[in-house]
Amino acid sequence: MVKIRPIEGQDDTVLAAIIRDSLKSYGLDIPGTAYFDKELDHLSSFYAKKANREYFVAVDNAGNVLGGDGIAEFDPVNKIAELQKLYLTNAARGHHLSYRLLDTAVGFAKGAGYKTIYLETHHSLIEAVHLYQAYGFTDLGHPLNNGEHSSMDKFFVLNI
């Protein structure tokens, strides 16, 4: 049984490794991706700084971190949140865990008063692109407000 819970300080190191390993496996260990985000090694403190942010972690029965995803402000004036850092270990993929993480993040975003969720990804992350389309995200075709990750080339929104 997999449990989804808010991030804790002890999750930071393993989550950073999951994210970096995943990006590297797709050749995306390059500037302009989450690989080099300054908060990557300290996700718990980054998401704890504001009440309208949260990062959710999926853990197995033994407490092993399988991955996670986050919600943070993107354009507060227009009530737009950003879905951030949805990554899973290789072993956790293919079991619909991404959908559970998305459900949790979207529920949090609604509760925080956001009306839209934006995300940036890369065309080579085929499974992620499929997930977002299947979940109901719409492909914008361009970044919103000059998004932070300049190497990303797919941009989606979901009205909630």
Side-chain angles (χ1 to χ4, degrees):
M1 188 73 184
V2 174
K3 176 183 173 183
I4 297 176
R5 60 161 171 76
I7 192 171
E8 298 171 359
Q10 72 263 15
D11 302 324
D12 287 347
T13 302
V14 68
L15 283 166
I18 290 168
I19 293 166
R20 286 193 178 109
D21 289 347
S22 182
L23 286 166
K24 189 172 187 173
S25 74
Y26 285 92
L28 292 172
D29 51 338
I30 57 174
T33 70
Y35 193 92
F36 290 102
D37 284 359
K38 63 182 183 272
E39 73 273 2
L40 189 56
D41 292 308
H42 310 284
L43 290 177
S44 61
S45 61
F46 173 79
Y47 286 94
K49 286 181 182 175
K50 296 185 179 180
N52 59 348
R53 295 179 183 170
E54 187 62 79
Y55 195 90
F56 300 97
V57 179
V59 295
D60 65 15
N61 286 337
N64 298 309
V65 174
L66 304 174
D69 68 350
I71 289 287
E73 69 284 352
F74 183 79
D75 179 350
V77 172
N78 292 304
K79 299 185 179 185
I80 301 173
E82 183 178 21
L83 178 72
Q84 301 177 332
K85 297 169 181 61
L86 172 52
Y87 292 93
L88 296 171
T89 62
N90 286 336
R93 294 179 191 163
H95 303 286
H96 299 285
L97 185 52
S98 329
Y99 288 94
R100 288 186 54 202
L101 283 164
L102 270 174
D103 287 344
T104 304
V106 169
F108 174 82
K110 283 181 184 178
Y114 293 114
K115 300 296 180 198
T116 304
I117 299 175
Y118 169 73
L119 69 87
E120 302 169 339
T121 192
H122 194 272
H123 73 273
S124 67
L125 300 171
I126 296 166
E127 299 89 347
V129 170
H130 171 77
L131 167 70
Y132 301 134
Q133 290 172 327
Y135 198 86
F137 282 83
T138 302
D139 190 341
L140 280 177
H142 59 82
L144 197 60
N145 299 348
N146 298 314
E148 176 183 351
H149 297 110
S150 59
S151 292
M152 297 295 98
D153 62 5
K154 298 290 283 180
F155 312 93
F156 291 91
V157 292
L158 178 71
N159 293 318
I160 53 175

